Amino acid sequence: FHGPGTTEIYTLSLHDLFRSFQDCRQRLQELQEQHDKTDAALHKAELMRNETHGAWVITDRDDKEAAATVKRASAVLASFYADKMQTDLIQTGKQPVEGMDSGKAPPPPPPTWEDGYGGKQGEVMGIVAIMDMIHEDIEKDRHDAEVDENASNKEFEDLKHDSEEHMEALEKDYEFTDSSLGRALEDQ
């Protein structure tokens, strides 16, 4: 026996159940979209991070080789000029005196320096100093690039951690909403 209004109660219950079902399905879809969006963003960030790290590895290797090459060149130049300054000014053997009559005394020698002639040492040392400055600049750039690389890696790891936590929370919310939908269907 059904009393008055029983049909309306069933209709209202079915309508509420249908609305809850639709709400749950929409929520599940939104959660899945958020999860997929977060996962795609994380994947894109990981690809960019790998590309950036790969470029840094190559650049660091090239800079390391350049620094070593400049250092070797500086040492070679310093050694070359040090040897050249010592040996180029040494006279070997007698030089003939020209324009002098036989039996007469030679003219007095020209005035000389107080200290030995050192050539253009300032210019030579300037070149070596410039090479050393270039080496120091390369090493400083390498250090700065390594600091940037480490900061970039930390930033990526933080993003990865946050994204994974967010996706885990979305998965839990999805499971809860899905089980709520199942319970609502069982209750009816």
Side-chain angles (χ1 to χ4, degrees):
F1 168 77
H2 296 287
T6 306
T7 306
E8 288 86 21
I9 292 173
Y10 284 129
T11 304
L12 185 56
S13 282
L14 285 174
H15 182 64
D16 289 344
L17 177 63
F18 183 71
R19 187 178 315 132
S20 292
F21 177 77
Q22 283 182 320
D23 290 346
C24 286
R25 291 319 256 167
Q26 182 177 353
R27 178 71 180 145
L28 290 172
Q29 184 179 358
E30 289 170 359
L31 291 170
Q32 186 63 49
E33 287 172 0
Q34 287 179 14
H35 184 278
D36 293 346
K37 185 178 177 181
T38 303
D39 190 42
L42 178 60
H43 181 71
K44 183 178 179 180
E46 189 170 19
L47 289 175
M48 289 173 52
R49 178 70 196 116
N50 290 339
E51 183 179 313
T52 302
H53 177 71
W56 174 80
V57 167
I58 291 169
T59 301
D60 186 58
R61 182 190 66 223
D62 292 347
D63 287 349
K64 185 177 181 179
E65 289 174 14
T69 300
V70 169
K71 190 70 170 173
R72 282 192 309 272
S74 177
V76 167
L77 281 173
S79 174
F80 172 77
Y81 285 117
D83 292 345
K84 189 147 183 74
M85 291 299 169
Q86 291 176 6
T87 60
D88 279 358
L89 300 174
I90 300 174
Q91 293 182 357
T92 55
K94 288 187 167 185
Q95 300 294 322
V97 179
E98 296 179 9
M100 187 173 99
D101 293 334
S102 173
K104 289 194 173 183
T112 61
W113 296 271
E114 295 286 322
D115 297 324
Y117 176 68
K120 296 182 179 182
Q121 288 184 0
E123 290 178 22
V124 171
M125 291 289 106
I127 292 170
V128 173
I130 289 171
M131 297 293 282
D132 289 342
M133 285 190 303
I134 292 170
H135 177 262
E136 290 172 9
D137 285 348
I138 293 171
E139 288 297 334
K140 182 183 179 305
D141 288 347
R142 283 187 67 216
H143 177 267
D144 292 347
E146 184 176 7
V147 168
D148 291 345
E149 170 65 14
N150 291 339
S152 177
N153 189 53
K154 181 175 180 348
E155 185 178 326
F156 170 73
E157 290 300 325
D158 291 346
L159 172 71
K160 181 178 178 183
H161 176 75
D162 293 347
S163 296
E164 288 172 346
E165 281 186 347
H166 181 65
M167 288 189 299
E168 187 177 311
L170 290 171
E171 289 167 4
K172 286 180 181 177
D173 196 4
Y174 186 95
E175 290 170 8
F176 176 78
T177 303
D178 195 39
S179 66
S180 295
L181 176 62
R183 281 192 306 276
L185 290 174
E186 286 176 1
D187 290 345
Q188 298 302 321

